[in-house]
Amino acid sequence: MAENVRVRFAPSPTGYLHVGGARTALFNWLFARHHGGTFVLRIEDTDKARNTPEAMQAIFDGMRWLGLDWDEGPQKGGDCGPYFQSEREDVYLRYFEKLRAAGHVYDDGGAWRFKFARKKIIMDDLVCGRVEVDMADAATHPDMTIRRPDGGWIFHFVNVVDDIEMRITHVIRGDDHLSNTPKHLQLFEALGATPPRYGHIPLILNPDGSKMSKRDTGSAVGWYEENGFLPAAVVNFLCLLGWNPKTTQEIMSKEEVVTLFDIANINRKAAVFDIAKCEWMNQQYLMRLTPEQLAEKCEPFLVRAGIMFGTRDALVPVAALFRERMKHLTEAPASMAYFFTEDFEFDAEAVEKALRKPGALDRLRALREAYAACDWTATALEAALKSCATAAGVKAGEFVHPARVAATGRAVGASLYHTLEVLGRERVLGRFERAMKQFG
């Protein structure tokens, strides 16, 4: 692709950053990076009644969290600014006067309408292929309002003007805009400008075929950050919502996707959103972190829960235990709390099954004696427990369950022997003693 590729993401700051908008931004970002082009962020904030500073910040925060850095736009600058539509009034007036001087618009009760040429429009869409729209009938394609009686501009007009001024070469957007494109192409023609190439990507639907709404789980980008997803996992998941890398590989870094990304491989049919698949992908990414990296990611969630873990060095061996078990970073507080306090609660059902069972506390006492004398490694702790079970003539589980509940307060968790190793001899023996007194 010889031309200098310039694409844009143009959200309206009227709500949170929707996952569909984030995927549109991602596909534009990937296209720009693949072709060594420019990714422009433009804020379409002409709807003053619905715009909010909070929504604006959510766009910036969400894109930065996903790692979608923009080359031109708010907080970055560039040669084609300003990048807020609310600051571009002079530009729109200049183009409006151009249309009026050429006789392309007329006054209709205070509103200004653009006169469509009554002809067939042919589009060569990068995703949908050849699309023909016959605009001959004014009943089905009435002339388009581009300026309201109050002077406010309609989306179609300012969108086209900005794409001309910002030298946009490709427009990649949702296929809900496909019906707008013939209107936009007529505006480009009337203004004597070369239109960009269009690619309309399929919408994201729920598994039942319905369109994702604000109430659906995972519809807001901020939800993923709050619920302990890694940005890289979410980006990987969004890449595969409608795009096919033509490989069997599912786990791909952003850098790998940039290399592979081809707009021709975007599917035509709607993408189905599956939060369980996103959770699986997040788990794959968590498993690939080093214990040090996972500790760093867990830290803010533990702090938010009020868990005093001391230094990050103390957190690293604990994080290592849960690296292959976690689906979300939000699991960290509940999973790890008992490593950092002696004042943990016992699960009542686990106590009944493991510690109130006949002979359970006798077995715990025997295990405590064995543990007081053995080496403190996971291997030695496992061998000592199995030796106790053999001597008592019972299965190892009869010792495992009381030991786990006494040491952690719960029936399930990470590898028991590695858990005990990380807790340390003194704390484990003390917890066994506490359980024997409390439940004896």
Side-chain angles (χ1 to χ4, degrees), residues 80-99:
C80 300
Y83 295 92
F84 293 92
Q85 285 187 338
S86 58
E87 299 174 6
R88 298 176 61 80
E89 181 70 17
D90 292 347
V91 177
Y92 304 141
L93 282 172
R94 177 158 46 89
Y95 276 82
F96 174 73
E97 290 303 329
K98 190 174 181 179
L99 287 177

Side-chain angles (χ1 to χ4, degrees), residues 367 371 380-392 394-396 399-400 417:
L367 184 61
Y371 277 176
L381 292 168
E382 181 178 8
L385 184 145
K386 290 181 176 178
S387 178
C388 287
T390 300
V394 296
K395 291 182 179 179
F399 280 81
V400 167
Y417 308 111

